[in-house]
mmCIF file of all heavy atoms in Angstrom:
data_model
loop_
_atom_site.group_PDB
_atom_site.id
_atom_site.type_symbol
_atom_site.label_atom_id
_atom_site.label_comp_id
_atom_site.label_asym_id
_atom_site.label_seq_id
_atom_site.Cartn_x
_atom_site.Cartn_y
_atom_site.Cartn_z
ATOM 1 N N ALA A 29 93.733 94.426 164.560
ATOM 2 C CA ALA A 29 94.037 95.446 163.599
ATOM 3 C C ALA A 29 93.489 95.071 162.187
ATOM 4 O O ALA A 29 92.938 95.905 161.435
ATOM 5 C CB ALA A 29 95.547 95.722 163.515
ATOM 6 N N LEU A 30 93.671 93.807 161.828
ATOM 7 C CA LEU A 30 93.147 93.355 160.512
ATOM 8 C C LEU A 30 91.683 93.400 160.401
ATOM 9 O O LEU A 30 91.102 93.792 159.335
ATOM 10 C CB LEU A 30 93.597 91.922 160.276
ATOM 11 C CG LEU A 30 93.248 91.270 158.914
ATOM 12 C CD1 LEU A 30 93.806 92.039 157.753
ATOM 13 C CD2 LEU A 30 93.714 89.806 158.859
ATOM 14 N N ARG A 31 91.015 93.169 161.564
ATOM 15 C CA ARG A 31 89.570 93.193 161.582
ATOM 16 C C ARG A 31 89.063 94.596 161.368
ATOM 17 O O ARG A 31 88.134 94.890 160.606
ATOM 18 C CB ARG A 31 89.028 92.678 162.901
ATOM 19 C CG ARG A 31 87.486 92.618 163.025
ATOM 20 C CD ARG A 31 87.056 92.067 164.310
ATOM 21 N NE ARG A 31 87.594 92.897 165.427
ATOM 22 C CZ ARG A 31 87.438 92.504 166.731
ATOM 23 N NH1 ARG A 31 86.876 91.384 167.027
ATOM 24 N NH2 ARG A 31 87.974 93.320 167.629
ATOM 25 N N LYS A 32 89.785 95.603 161.998
ATOM 26 C CA LYS A 32 89.373 96.976 161.778
ATOM 27 C C LYS A 32 89.605 97.413 160.316
ATOM 28 O O LYS A 32 88.742 98.164 159.775
ATOM 29 C CB LYS A 32 90.219 97.868 162.683
ATOM 30 C CG LYS A 32 89.918 97.658 164.207
ATOM 31 C CD LYS A 32 90.737 98.514 165.028
ATOM 32 C CE LYS A 32 90.368 98.371 166.521
ATOM 33 N NZ LYS A 32 91.250 99.216 167.411
ATOM 34 N N VAL A 33 90.677 96.979 159.733
ATOM 35 C CA VAL A 33 90.981 97.340 158.321
ATOM 36 C C VAL A 33 89.896 96.784 157.458
ATOM 37 O O VAL A 33 89.399 97.473 156.537
ATOM 38 C CB VAL A 33 92.362 96.834 157.922
ATOM 39 C CG1 VAL A 33 92.607 97.025 156.410
ATOM 40 C CG2 VAL A 33 93.442 97.638 158.687
ATOM 41 N N LEU A 34 89.536 95.474 157.623
ATOM 42 C CA LEU A 34 88.519 94.888 156.704
ATOM 43 C C LEU A 34 87.190 95.538 156.978
ATOM 44 O O LEU A 34 86.395 95.747 155.925
ATOM 45 C CB LEU A 34 88.403 93.363 157.095
ATOM 46 C CG LEU A 34 89.636 92.485 156.711
ATOM 47 C CD1 LEU A 34 89.397 91.088 157.177
ATOM 48 C CD2 LEU A 34 89.853 92.493 155.154
ATOM 49 N N ILE A 35 86.855 95.848 158.183
ATOM 50 C CA ILE A 35 85.572 96.517 158.443
ATOM 51 C C ILE A 35 85.544 97.939 157.731
ATOM 52 O O ILE A 35 84.580 98.322 157.068
ATOM 53 C CB ILE A 35 85.314 96.671 159.901
ATOM 54 C CG1 ILE A 35 85.077 95.209 160.587
ATOM 55 C CG2 ILE A 35 84.067 97.517 160.200
ATOM 56 C CD1 ILE A 35 84.858 95.231 162.051
ATOM 57 N N GLY A 36 86.676 98.577 157.805
ATOM 58 C CA GLY A 36 86.763 99.945 157.201
ATOM 59 C C GLY A 36 86.690 99.803 155.625
ATOM 60 O O GLY A 36 86.027 100.605 154.959
ATOM 61 N N PHE A 37 87.297 98.743 155.145
ATOM 62 C CA PHE A 37 87.240 98.552 153.622
ATOM 63 C C PHE A 37 85.858 98.223 153.210
ATOM 64 O O PHE A 37 85.333 98.716 152.134
ATOM 65 C CB PHE A 37 88.197 97.426 153.286
ATOM 66 C CG PHE A 37 88.210 97.024 151.814
ATOM 67 C CD1 PHE A 37 88.840 97.926 150.887
ATOM 68 C CD2 PHE A 37 87.461 95.982 151.270
ATOM 69 C CE1 PHE A 37 88.845 97.640 149.555
ATOM 70 C CE2 PHE A 37 87.446 95.723 150.032
ATOM 71 C CZ PHE A 37 88.112 96.485 149.117
ATOM 72 N N ILE A 38 85.180 97.396 153.966
ATOM 73 C CA ILE A 38 83.778 97.090 153.604
ATOM 74 C C ILE A 38 82.823 98.260 153.668
ATOM 75 O O ILE A 38 82.035 98.527 152.765
ATOM 76 C CB ILE A 38 83.240 95.947 154.515
ATOM 77 C CG1 ILE A 38 84.073 94.642 154.237
ATOM 78 C CG2 ILE A 38 81.734 95.703 154.361
ATOM 79 C CD1 ILE A 38 83.679 93.454 155.225
ATOM 80 N N LEU A 39 83.034 98.981 154.749
ATOM 81 C CA LEU A 39 82.196 100.263 154.891
ATOM 82 C C LEU A 39 82.474 101.230 153.759
ATOM 83 O O LEU A 39 81.548 101.821 153.170
ATOM 84 C CB LEU A 39 82.477 100.867 156.234
ATOM 85 C CG LEU A 39 81.973 100.090 157.377
ATOM 86 C CD1 LEU A 39 82.381 100.781 158.785
ATOM 87 C CD2 LEU A 39 80.481 99.958 157.385
ATOM 88 N N ALA A 40 83.725 101.317 153.458
ATOM 89 C CA ALA A 40 84.093 102.299 152.348
ATOM 90 C C ALA A 40 83.553 101.747 150.996
ATOM 91 O O ALA A 40 83.103 102.600 150.215
ATOM 92 C CB ALA A 40 85.652 102.340 152.205
ATOM 93 N N SER A 41 83.536 100.508 150.732
ATOM 94 C CA SER A 41 82.945 99.975 149.487
ATOM 95 C C SER A 41 81.480 100.172 149.419
ATOM 96 O O SER A 41 80.989 100.527 148.340
ATOM 97 C CB SER A 41 83.312 98.381 149.379
ATOM 98 O OG SER A 41 84.679 98.188 149.398
ATOM 99 N N ILE A 42 80.794 99.965 150.637
ATOM 100 C CA ILE A 42 79.368 100.213 150.578
ATOM 101 C C ILE A 42 79.059 101.643 150.320
ATOM 102 O O ILE A 42 78.188 101.976 149.545
ATOM 103 C CB ILE A 42 78.803 99.802 152.004
ATOM 104 C CG1 ILE A 42 78.912 98.219 152.159
ATOM 105 C CG2 ILE A 42 77.368 100.159 152.107
ATOM 106 C CD1 ILE A 42 78.510 97.718 153.516
ATOM 107 N N VAL A 43 79.785 102.595 150.965
ATOM 108 C CA VAL A 43 79.632 103.982 150.734
ATOM 109 C C VAL A 43 79.832 104.304 149.265
ATOM 110 O O VAL A 43 79.117 105.067 148.616
ATOM 111 C CB VAL A 43 80.497 104.795 151.627
ATOM 112 C CG1 VAL A 43 80.481 106.280 151.260
ATOM 113 C CG2 VAL A 43 80.096 104.610 153.064
ATOM 114 N N ASN A 44 80.905 103.685 148.647
ATOM 115 C CA ASN A 44 81.284 104.011 147.269
ATOM 116 C C ASN A 44 80.233 103.491 146.324
ATOM 117 O O ASN A 44 79.826 104.217 145.384
ATOM 118 C CB ASN A 44 82.603 103.335 146.967
ATOM 119 C CG ASN A 44 83.074 103.624 145.563
ATOM 120 O OD1 ASN A 44 83.280 104.831 145.143
ATOM 121 N ND2 ASN A 44 83.243 102.585 144.660
ATOM 122 N N VAL A 45 79.645 102.299 146.623
ATOM 123 C CA VAL A 45 78.572 101.750 145.786
ATOM 124 C C VAL A 45 77.361 102.716 145.819
ATOM 125 O O VAL A 45 76.734 103.003 144.810
ATOM 126 C CB VAL A 45 78.234 100.296 146.139
ATOM 127 C CG1 VAL A 45 76.986 99.847 145.461
ATOM 128 C CG2 VAL A 45 79.333 99.377 145.790
ATOM 129 N N LEU A 46 76.993 103.018 147.080
ATOM 130 C CA LEU A 46 75.790 103.812 147.254
ATOM 131 C C LEU A 46 75.969 105.230 146.552
ATOM 132 O O LEU A 46 75.065 105.735 145.906
ATOM 133 C CB LEU A 46 75.442 104.012 148.695
ATOM 134 C CG LEU A 46 75.015 102.761 149.494
ATOM 135 C CD1 LEU A 46 74.856 103.068 150.981
ATOM 136 C CD2 LEU A 46 73.698 102.274 148.895
ATOM 137 N N PHE A 47 77.195 105.695 146.674
ATOM 138 C CA PHE A 47 77.498 107.111 146.118
ATOM 139 C C PHE A 47 77.426 106.976 144.547
ATOM 140 O O PHE A 47 76.897 107.854 143.909
ATOM 141 C CB PHE A 47 78.873 107.548 146.526
ATOM 142 C CG PHE A 47 79.284 108.948 146.078
ATOM 143 C CD1 PHE A 47 78.733 110.040 146.691
ATOM 144 C CD2 PHE A 47 79.949 109.038 144.918
ATOM 145 C CE1 PHE A 47 79.061 111.298 146.304
ATOM 146 C CE2 PHE A 47 80.320 110.346 144.457
ATOM 147 C CZ PHE A 47 79.802 111.435 145.172
ATOM 148 N N SER A 48 78.035 105.920 143.992
ATOM 149 C CA SER A 48 78.044 105.747 142.616
ATOM 150 C C SER A 48 76.677 105.501 142.022
ATOM 151 O O SER A 48 76.370 105.779 140.764
ATOM 152 C CB SER A 48 79.030 104.637 142.170
ATOM 153 O OG SER A 48 78.616 103.411 142.721
#
Side-chain angles (χ1 to χ4, degrees):
L30 181 61
R31 183 179 60 185
K32 292 179 180 179
V33 170
L34 290 177
I35 293 174
F37 179 78
I38 293 172
L39 291 175
S41 299
I42 294 174
V43 171
N44 183 60
V45 169
L46 293 175
F47 184 83
S48 62

